[in-house]
Amino acid sequence: MSDSDDYCELCELPRSQCVHGRPVLEPVKAAKAVKAPPRPRKPPATRVRAVAGTPKAVDLRWTPPEVFKPWILSLLEEAGGELEADQMFEQLEAVAGESLKPSDNETTPEGEPRWRYAARRARMALIDDGLMTKTRPGVWQLAPVAGASGLAE
């Protein structure tokens, strides 16, 4: 056997290192992926079909922000027009107490109870409606009454 027999003619490498001199390998079959069983879905909120002219009745899992609006306004009026956010949440929890649904105490992905999130959304809606103002961070405040400038004429 000569030295030229130990080298590949195509790539000039020793046959032990050359891809041309190696035996053809069978492709390895990929293992079948084990599919996880489907997760059970939560039942959707129940909806009742509306008859022409009547509103749709919807059974929601959480208390909607609209429910918090009158509570927020009455608590602010009792407090003289403004409250710290922490005090507002404490008083809202006391007022809303048994009216909240069990799932209102679940947390949002950010870790906040859902009822607090709904209350904050109600506050933003009241600000948009002009009933509250956004003056200082951490303070919930009623908007000044239109026509009340504070000056005696």
Side-chain angles (χ1 to χ4, degrees):
M1 193 181 223
S2 68
D3 287 338
S4 64
D5 291 341
D6 293 330
Y7 288 89
C8 175
E9 296 172 3
L10 299 172
C11 61
E12 298 183 6
L13 288 174
R15 289 199 185 266
S16 61
Q17 297 175 358
C18 168
V19 290
H20 302 104
R22 294 188 181 163
V24 177
L25 299 176
E26 293 290 325
V28 178
K29 291 183 181 178
K32 288 186 179 179
V34 177
K35 198 172 190 181
R39 293 179 15 195
R41 292 186 175 191
K42 293 181 182 177
T46 56
R47 297 179 188 263
V48 178
R49 284 191 183 248
V51 179
T54 60
K56 291 183 181 180
V58 179
D59 180 25
L60 300 174
R61 292 183 58 201
W62 304 292
T63 305
E66 293 77 32
V67 173
F68 290 95
K69 288 180 181 181
W71 291 331
I72 292 170
L73 292 174
S74 66
L75 288 172
L76 286 173
E77 287 174 7
E78 290 172 14
E82 72 177 41
L83 273 174
E84 295 286 327
D86 292 335
Q87 292 172 337
M88 175 57 82
F89 286 130
E90 287 174 14
Q91 291 184 19
L92 264 178
E93 188 172 21
V95 169
E98 294 181 23
S99 300
L100 295 177
K101 298 180 180 196
S103 54
D104 282 326
N105 289 316
E106 293 175 0
T107 57
T108 62
E110 291 79 26
E112 177 182 34
R114 290 197 181 274
W115 72 266
R116 281 188 178 215
Y117 176 73
R120 286 190 305 104
R121 286 185 51 206
R123 174 183 179 241
M124 293 310 297
L126 289 168
I127 290 170
D128 291 343
D129 294 343
L131 298 171
M132 288 180 65
T133 59
K134 192 176 182 179
T135 55
R136 294 179 298 174
V139 176
W140 292 29
Q141 184 176 22
L142 286 175
V145 178
S149 62
L151 300 174
E153 292 185 21

